[in-house]
Amino acid sequence: MCLLLSGSTSGPASMSRIHPSDRGDGARRAARTAAAAERERQQPAVYTVWKRSSMGFQGTDGFSVYDAAGRLAFRVDNYARRPKAFAGELLLMDGRGAPLLSLRPQIFSLHDRWNCYRVAPGEEGCPETDKSSSAQQLFSMRKCAALQSTDDAEVHMSTASAATTSGRGCRAPPSPPSGYRVEGCFSRRSCKITRSDGQEAARILRKKAGGPTAAAASSSRPVALGDDVFSLVVRPGVDAATVMAIVVVMDRICRKPYAPMACSAQ
């Protein structure tokens, strides 16, 4: 009996001596996991933008935005392409339908100015809400040239835009706002969004399907999809909701008429 007690008492100690690296392995695994998560955060976020409302009604003109995992990340549902004087409010929502940002045209503007506001819980669709408050405004955006057929546009962030728009309830310390500039041809889905310091914040590219991994030899070359499907690449540290709001406004101020198309090779 004494031998059994002695063995049971010394067993854990001996086991700790036989396997001294158990705790070290756990710490190394945790460090590798944290390093992998950090590398993932440093990678650009790639979204697929489909110029179609997720509601799926005939004649709707919205957006459905999917992340790299195929999850619905943002959406703009069921608004009609009407003249700017009657356009009204556009609402950018997350994938679950929670409103994030409100976009409104400035009626008397030669440069097609639009203003973007944060949406507080319970304020969406409320006409009494003071949407002109500088505390709610995120940015104003306009075309660079009023009389030239160019897609270039400039974004001026408001002084209150230093607070985060993630909707998680925590605000970052105020900092001087930085603007953005859209350069290239949005109508052809080939343009970039740069910061005021010239650093690229996001890029819009034509979406391609297929490639060298396709089974059939005839489909081994990438196929460009129609203009209603394109890629949006957002750099690390850039708020994706703000970038998507810029994309929605660009779609409104560019002069190309809206004509839904099925995916097609070009």
Side-chain angles (χ1 to χ4, degrees):
M1 188 67 180
C2 294
L3 291 174
L4 290 175
L5 289 174
S6 175
S8 62
T9 303
S10 61
S14 62
M15 288 294 291
S16 64
R17 289 193 297 270
I18 294 173
H19 302 284
S21 62
D22 284 348
R23 292 184 178 179
D25 289 343
R28 283 192 289 270
R29 284 195 297 269
R32 287 195 295 267
T33 302
E38 181 63 24
R39 286 194 299 270
E40 184 176 353
R41 283 193 295 268
Q42 295 301 320
Q43 294 297 319
V46 181
Y47 298 91
T48 297
V49 182
W50 189 14
K51 202 169 140 44
R52 179 177 179 180
S53 169
S54 62
M55 302 294 289
F57 298 146
Q58 182 69 25
T60 58
D61 178 21
F63 285 91
S64 299
V65 185
Y66 300 89
D67 62 16
R71 297 183 295 261
L72 185 62
F74 303 104
R75 71 194 210 199
V76 177
D77 283 339
N78 199 24
Y79 66 84
R81 179 171 290 273
R82 296 173 293 179
K84 187 172 67 171
F86 307 99
E89 179 185 55
L90 306 182
L91 201 60
L92 176 66
M93 300 174 284
D94 64 12
R96 296 169 297 180
L100 299 175
L101 299 172
S102 169
L103 304 169
R104 296 183 64 84
Q106 186 167 317
I107 305 303
F108 301 105
S109 172
L110 294 177
H111 292 264
D112 287 328
R113 181 185 296 273
W114 282 68
N115 299 314
C116 176
Y117 303 90
R118 299 185 186 87
V119 179
E123 290 186 353
E124 62 275 11
C126 179
E128 290 80 10
T129 302
D130 182 13
K131 295 183 182 298
S132 63
S133 171
S134 61
Q136 294 180 347
Q137 184 170 357
L138 179 64
F139 66 77
S140 66
M141 179 175 174
R142 68 172 193 170
K143 295 186 68 173
C144 293
L147 302 178
Q148 296 180 4
S149 58
T150 175
D151 290 350
D152 291 357
E154 53 190 12
V155 181
H156 300 280
M157 307 301 292
S158 69
T159 56
S161 63
T164 180
T165 61
S166 62
R168 291 179 173 83
C170 52
R171 290 177 175 265
S175 59
S178 61
Y180 295 95
R181 186 180 178 91
V182 184
E183 299 174 327
C185 185
F186 177 82
S187 302
R188 297 182 179 179
R189 308 306 187 226
S190 177
C191 64
K192 63 180 179 179
I193 302 173
T194 58
R195 300 176 186 266
S196 55
D197 59 3
Q199 295 294 320
E200 182 176 306
R203 182 175 289 267
I204 297 169
L205 305 166
R206 294 185 67 88
K207 182 75 175 180
K208 295 184 178 181
T213 58
S218 59
S219 60
S220 60
R221 296 174 57 187
V223 178
L225 304 180
D227 291 340
D228 55 339
V229 181
F230 55 94
S231 295
L232 175 64
V233 182
V234 182
R235 298 297 177 185
V238 179
D239 183 47
T242 300
V243 171
M244 190 58 214
I246 294 173
V247 171
V248 174
V249 174
M250 286 297 298
D251 176 71
R252 300 300 288 186
I253 65 179
C254 290
R255 298 303 184 185
K256 184 176 181 180
Y258 172 65
M261 297 184 297
C263 298
S264 59
Q266 293 186 356

